[in-house]
Amino acid sequence: MAWTPLESLVHVLKNAYSGELAAALAYEGHRNSVRSETEKAEIELIRLQELHHRERVGEFLTRLGAAPCPRRERKFRRIGKAIAFLCHVGGWFLPMYGAGKLESTNIVEYENAARYALAAGHPELVDDLLQMAEVEWDHELYFRQKVANHWLCKLFRLWPVPPPRAQIRHGYANLLLSGWKAQ
């Protein structure tokens, strides 16, 4: 059975909501595991941005008459706490590498949510969702730049480079200006 665009949107938003919880918890541990005060501040900013995304996604779910999945929330809380702990034993490289790889998937998650929102007749969500994708792109770049020249990148191949940041919004502006609606 195929999902409607609205069902797909709600599904992606529920996943993103719980994923942002795991990310915020993981970044708390990650922040506390690094020595550099500059890196601590940078990771804390990323953590706060993830919490902001969670808040906004929660608002979208409410607007759509949906709610987070309690089971998924519990699961992702455990995942976030486990990653936070592992940041203290994984050295500097592994948390930086893992964060970058995960952030690259978050870009696509918010881009997909924007497509589903548009197709589901909720163009008012598109700008916020694309903005979240852009912030996730910034996070991915931060972590990529951190690990790119590390000697362990000879053992751990970097994840694929996402398309340019400007491409995230490509195509949406014309659709929104034309008043496009799902068929």
Side-chain angles (χ1 to χ4, degrees):
M1 178 173 125
W3 286 1
T4 67
L6 180 59
E7 290 168 332
S8 296
L9 173 61
V10 168
H11 177 75
V12 170
L13 292 177
K14 284 181 177 186
N15 287 344
Y17 186 80
S18 297
E20 296 293 8
L21 171 63
L25 291 168
Y27 283 134
E28 186 174 356
H30 192 178
R31 177 201 63 211
N32 293 335
S33 73
V34 296
R35 291 187 179 125
S36 162
E37 290 302 317
T38 301
E39 285 180 349
K40 283 183 187 294
E42 292 164 345
I43 294 169
E44 176 61 10
L45 175 61
I46 291 170
R47 186 184 79 81
L48 293 173
Q49 289 170 332
E50 301 292 0
L51 287 171
H52 177 71
H53 288 177
R54 180 172 161 84
E55 180 182 328
R56 294 294 293 146
V57 169
E59 291 168 8
F60 300 159
L61 285 170
T62 299
R63 187 182 307 172
L64 296 170
C69 174
R71 192 166 131 216
R72 188 167 186 82
E73 284 285 289
R74 288 188 300 275
K75 176 181 176 182
F76 276 72
R77 180 177 299 280
R78 288 191 304 271
I79 290 170
K81 287 183 176 188
I83 293 170
F85 170 76
L86 292 172
C87 286
H88 294 279
V89 296
W92 180 90
F93 177 80
L94 287 178
M96 291 288 187
Y97 180 90
K101 192 168 183 172
L102 286 173
E103 292 293 357
S104 71
T105 65
N106 294 346
I107 300 165
V108 175
E109 181 177 52
Y110 284 118
E111 287 176 311
N112 288 340
R115 284 186 200 91
Y116 293 138
L118 198 55
H122 289 280
E124 73 280 4
L125 302 181
V126 171
D127 186 60
D128 281 336
L129 291 166
L130 293 177
Q131 193 171 53
M132 289 179 205
E134 290 167 337
V135 170
E136 300 294 350
W137 190 97
D138 295 341
H139 295 172
E140 185 277 341
L141 178 63
Y142 170 80
F143 291 111
R144 175 183 294 282
Q145 290 174 338
K146 287 289 183 179
V147 301
N149 294 317
H150 195 278
W151 68 271
L152 280 172
C153 272
K154 292 178 179 133
L155 300 174
F156 293 82
R157 184 185 300 151
L158 279 177
W159 55 92
V161 176
R165 188 181 197 272
Q167 196 172 324
I168 290 172
R169 291 186 180 268
H170 183 74
Y172 287 95
N174 289 338
L175 288 173
L176 291 171
L177 288 173
S178 70
W180 183 86
K181 298 236 190 274
Q183 306 302 332

